Amino acid sequence: MPNPPQPTPEEKLAAAKKLLRLPHIVVICGSTRFMTQMNEADLRETAAGRIVVKPGCDMKSPHALWSDPVEAEALKARLDDLHRAKIRLADEVLVVGDYIGDSTRAEIAYARSLGKPVRFTHPEADPDA
């Protein structure tokens, strides 16, 4: 008798989040030029009872952690990987801002490839609309 199919890691994560009764998790995506709007979206989503994850570094603002160009490039790659993990963790993506650059476009495509719903603060910015 063949073994029943094993759940995927994504299915296991969804089941664990349900067992833990975790609130809906939203990941905020967008250009860090919209950090103020991201913070406002974080406030609104949190007030609505959702767990929010978002970019934690605004590399467009000066900081010692990314003042060296070589280290800045390595950090950017690590942050991109970290943000993809946030997308995998989340139940939904919220794209903030009216501009969609290459990084955000790639995040939207990644989220959609995983079957994650994607919302926009500016629906006209949806590259697939």
Side-chain angles (χ1 to χ4, degrees):
M1 178 175 190
N3 290 335
Q6 295 298 305
T8 65
E10 292 80 8
E11 291 167 336
K12 288 179 181 179
L13 177 60
K17 289 189 322 191
K18 190 173 184 174
L19 279 172
L20 292 168
R21 295 188 182 102
L22 290 179
H24 193 76
I25 301 172
V26 177
V27 61
I28 294 177
C29 294
S31 171
T32 55
R33 72 174 74 170
F34 300 118
M35 251 352 212
T36 300
Q37 293 93 324
M38 287 182 186
N39 291 336
E40 179 67 21
D42 184 352
L43 176 71
R44 292 181 182 280
E45 294 294 315
T46 299
R50 298 178 189 101
I51 294 172
V52 178
V53 291
K54 68 181 195 290
C57 297
D58 174 7
M59 292 185 70
K60 289 182 173 58
S61 297
H63 194 282
L65 284 174
W66 47 84
S67 60
D68 174 76
V70 174
E71 179 51 34
E73 196 61 36
L75 177 60
K76 171 86 169 89
R78 292 193 309 272
L79 293 174
D80 287 347
D81 288 344
L82 181 61
H83 204 69
R84 281 190 294 276
K86 291 175 184 181
I87 292 169
R88 289 192 305 276
L89 174 68
D91 300 303
E92 176 185 28
V93 172
L94 174 59
V95 180
V96 172
D98 59 359
Y99 163 80
I100 307 293
D102 292 340
S103 292
T104 304
R105 188 178 315 273
E107 291 165 358
I108 293 165
Y110 182 64
R112 287 182 167 153
S113 78
L114 298 173
K116 306 281 180 174
V118 180
R119 262 190 303 137
F120 291 81
T121 59
H122 294 75
E124 69 278 5
D126 183 347
D128 296 327

